[in-house]
Amino acid sequence: MANLMDSTAGKPLAQSSARIQWIDAIKGLGISLIVIGHIWALDDRSLFYEWIFAFHVPLFFFAAGLNLKPKITAPLAFARLRFQQLMTPYIIFALIGYLFHLGGYLLTKGQANPPAAFADGLWIPLFGILEGRVGDGRLVNSPLWFLPALLIALVACHAINHRLQNTAARLAIVAMMSGIALWVGDGMALPFSINAALIGLLFIQVGFEYRRVGFPLPHRSTGAIGLMAIAFAITLFAPLNAPVDLAKATVNQPLLYLLFAGAGIIFCLVGTRIAPSIIQSWLARIGRHSLVILVTHMLIIKAVKVGLYLITGISIDTMEHSVLLGLAVLAITCLIMLPTGAVIIRWFPWMLGQKSRPLAPH
């Protein structure tokens, strides 16, 4: 049977510093699921949405750990670099999101049945940028919550693994911090999604440990497929712990949350690594531009929905509860995202915290 071990598997980290296509492919799959997860209604989720939400954001945290190299950069220098790379796009696209909200609010306030998205007025979304968390109309460009949360989790994980040589001690500290966050869950609202960040810390650490041991994968294709099938079967029970939403640190039963998130990560990890090269290549191309997709897709989705509402009179609620209308919104969004992302990457990389053409954040 074919040997499915990646060319980097089993090598010391110093020998595998180049970008690895399947890691970019995981990011591509993750951001694709995140975009899909913002098309339809969230207040009345389908079973498909409950399945996606069980693991799509943990997958993104896990992917960040796959590129973590804590011994190369000092913690303070790492924190400064990541602050620039993550908080620059956060501020810029949060303000752009507010301008979108302001425009939509002014365009629809005279309508007989204005969209509920504008019911929070103008002040709450503006102050929400400073708070950095979702819910109750606080952050218009809601996926941006992930950037400060990722910053907190990455800096913490980098510092722990840079300072501590003992593996057991590192894992114990991460488990304690994440365990407290899982126990608190959404019971305490903290700024910049600190709860979610500390939960995400666990998934980043797992990704880093997977990198540290050389990215192992079953040697035989039957073993890899069997592992993927078992993981997928476990994820099918994720609705039993629904609803969950890491953006709000809503995990319900912590152990079940970790079980289903872990199974989803394994399913996606193995699936992307054994996928045909053409699929892996396309996902990797998406993954290399996951940052620009993350910061723009919600604005485009909202603009498409408001535009269709103004043109057709079909309510946004109807769009969000219709499979066909949702697919139309998704298709239009993807068509708009392509040139939008290309323009930002080519002409305005500073908006993404970069001096030159950016790739996906590690």
Side-chain angles (χ1 to χ4, degrees), residues 157-310:
C157 194
H158 183 280
I160 291 169
N161 288 280
H162 181 88
R163 298 294 185 188
L164 298 179
Q165 301 297 324
N166 185 278
T167 300
R170 295 198 308 263
L171 296 180
I173 291 176
V174 169
M176 180 185 67
M177 295 173 67
S178 297
I180 292 173
L182 284 164
W183 177 68
V184 173
D186 57 5
M188 181 183 298
L190 296 175
F192 295 106
S193 305
I194 293 176
N195 316 52
L198 294 180
I199 295 171
L201 169 64
L202 177 62
F203 298 112
I204 293 179
Q205 184 67 36
V206 172
F208 170 70
E209 294 297 333
Y210 185 62
R211 174 188 177 86
R212 194 175 64 83
V213 298
F215 305 124
L217 190 72
H219 286 267
R220 296 183 179 275
S221 59
T222 51
I225 293 172
L227 178 62
M228 186 173 66
I230 292 172
F232 175 71
I234 293 173
T235 65
L236 293 179
F237 293 92
L240 295 176
N241 193 45
V244 298
D245 188 352
L246 189 51
K248 300 177 181 178
T250 301
V251 298
N252 288 330
Q253 296 297 323
L255 292 180
L256 287 179
Y257 180 78
L258 293 178
L259 171 66
F260 297 131
I265 289 171
I266 293 172
F267 169 66
C268 294
L269 170 66
V270 178
T272 52
R273 291 191 65 177
I274 68 174
S277 58
I278 187 171
I279 295 177
Q280 190 181 97
S281 177
W282 274 101
L283 285 174
R285 184 176 300 183
I286 296 171
R288 284 191 289 271
H289 302 299
S290 58
L291 177 58
V292 72
I293 296 172
L294 177 73
V295 298
T296 61
H297 77 273
M298 181 60 86
L299 299 180
I300 296 173
I301 289 171
K302 289 186 175 183
V304 169
K305 289 178 180 178
V306 172
L308 289 176
Y309 163 72
L310 293 174

Side-chain angles (χ1 to χ4, degrees), residues 11-278:
K11 292 184 178 181
L13 296 187
Q15 298 182 29
S16 56
S17 58
R19 292 189 76 91
I20 301 171
Q21 178 167 277
W22 63 261
I23 295 180
D24 286 331
I26 287 178
K27 294 179 182 180
L29 177 59
I31 195 63
S32 298
L33 293 175
I34 286 172
V35 172
I36 292 171
H38 290 140
I39 296 294
W40 286 278
L42 297 179
D43 56 347
D44 184 21
R45 295 182 190 170
S46 64
L47 289 176
F48 176 62
Y49 259 26
E50 301 294 8
W51 180 73
I52 286 179
F53 273 72
F55 62 85
H56 71 335
V57 177
L59 176 66
F60 231 68
F61 278 110
F62 171 80
L66 297 175
N67 285 313
L68 192 65
K69 303 170 187 177
K71 298 303 180 183
I72 294 178
T73 311
L76 186 57
F78 178 83
R80 285 198 299 262
L81 176 63
R82 289 306 184 191
F83 184 88
Q84 175 190 333
Q85 292 176 334
L86 296 174
M87 294 308 291
T88 298
Y90 172 81
I91 295 296
I92 291 173
F93 285 93
L95 291 173
I96 292 174
Y98 181 77
L99 293 177
F100 268 63
H101 178 82
L102 176 62
Y105 178 85
L106 295 175
L107 283 172
T108 61
K109 70 174 184 177
Q111 300 285 334
N113 185 27
F118 303 116
D120 296 305
L122 299 178
W123 289 110
I124 292 177
L126 182 60
F127 290 131
I129 296 174
L130 301 177
E131 193 172 4
R133 66 184 180 91
V134 297
D136 302 322
R138 285 183 177 84
L139 196 59
V140 174
N141 194 355
S142 55
L144 293 182
W145 75 267
F146 181 75
L147 296 181
L150 180 62
L151 173 65
I152 293 168
L154 276 175
V155 169
C157 194
H158 183 280
I160 291 169
N161 288 280
H162 181 88
R163 298 294 185 188
L164 298 179
Q165 301 297 324
N166 185 278
T167 300
R170 295 198 308 263
L171 296 180
I173 291 176
V174 169
M176 180 185 67
M177 295 173 67
S178 297
I180 292 173
L182 284 164
W183 177 68
V184 173
D186 57 5
M188 181 183 298
L190 296 175
F192 295 106
S193 305
I194 293 176
N195 316 52
L198 294 180
I199 295 171
L201 169 64
L202 177 62
F203 298 112
I204 293 179
Q205 184 67 36
V206 172
F208 170 70
E209 294 297 333
Y210 185 62
R211 174 188 177 86
R212 194 175 64 83
V213 298
F215 305 124
L217 190 72
H219 286 267
R220 296 183 179 275
S221 59
T222 51
I225 293 172
L227 178 62
M228 186 173 66
I230 292 172
F232 175 71
I234 293 173
T235 65
L236 293 179
F237 293 92
L240 295 176
N241 193 45
V244 298
D245 188 352
L246 189 51
K248 300 177 181 178
T250 301
V251 298
N252 288 330
Q253 296 297 323
L255 292 180
L256 287 179
Y257 180 78
L258 293 178
L259 171 66
F260 297 131
I265 289 171
I266 293 172
F267 169 66
C268 294
L269 170 66
V270 178
T272 52
R273 291 191 65 177
I274 68 174
S277 58
I278 187 171

